[in-house]
C-alpha cells in the first residue's frame, strides 16, 4: 500500500510525502494508521483525531482531509490530506 500525505494552504500544496507499507501481516486499517503516524512524524505534526466525516470519506473514496477540527493544537495550514495511491492486491 502506498499513501500520499499532503499539506495544503491557500489552495497550494506546501509539503507532501509518500509512505509505503507492504507488510502482509498488517490489516489495511493498521497500514493506514501507521502511514498517518509516519506522515505526521515527517511533517512534525501532532496526530489528528479521526472524526466520523474522515472515516466516511476514507471508506468511500480512499481519501480524506483533516482540518483544524481534527487537531488538538492549532495548525498553520488549511488541511492535511491523506490519499491511497496504490492498494495491496494479494
Amino acid at each position: 500500500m502506498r499513501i500520499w500525505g499532503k499539506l495544503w494552504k491557500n489552495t497550494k500544496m506546501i509539503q507532501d510525502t509518500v509512505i509505503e507499507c507492504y507488510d502482509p501481516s498488517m490489516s489495511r486499517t493498521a497500514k493506514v494508521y501507521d502511514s498517518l503516524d509516519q506522515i505526521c512524524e515527517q511533517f512534525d505534526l501532532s496526530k489528528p483525531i479521526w472524526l466520523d466525516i474522515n472515516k466516511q470519506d476514507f471508506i468511500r473514496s480512499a481519501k480524506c482531509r483533516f482540518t483544524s477540527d481534527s487537531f488538538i493544537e492549532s495548525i498553520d495550514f488549511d488541511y492535511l490530506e491523506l490519499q491511497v495511491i496504490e492498494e495491496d492486491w494479494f
Side-chain angles (χ1 to χ4, degrees), residues 34-49:
D34 183 62
S35 296
L36 179 58
D37 289 348
Q38 290 181 53
I39 289 166
C40 288
E41 186 176 319
Q42 284 187 26
F43 293 166
D44 194 27
L45 298 174
S46 62
K47 288 190 277 186
I49 299 166

Side-chain angles (χ1 to χ4, degrees), residues 1-56:
M1 173 178 273
R2 292 174 59 212
I3 296 187
W4 190 9
K6 302 173 262 186
L7 288 181
W8 292 87
K9 185 173 185 173
N10 298 328
T11 69
K12 293 183 174 51
M13 184 172 32
I14 58 173
Q15 195 171 1
D16 73 318
T17 188
V18 174
I19 303 297
E20 296 183 1
C21 183
Y22 294 107
D23 185 347
S25 69
M26 294 174 72
S27 69
R28 182 179 191 266
T29 303
K31 290 176 186 178
V32 170
Y33 288 163
D34 183 62
S35 296
L36 179 58
D37 289 348
Q38 290 181 53
I39 289 166
C40 288
E41 186 176 319
Q42 284 187 26
F43 293 166
D44 194 27
L45 298 174
S46 62
K47 288 190 277 186
I49 299 166
W50 283 87
L51 302 174
D52 287 340
I53 189 72
N54 302 118
K55 292 175 189 175
Q56 292 167 2

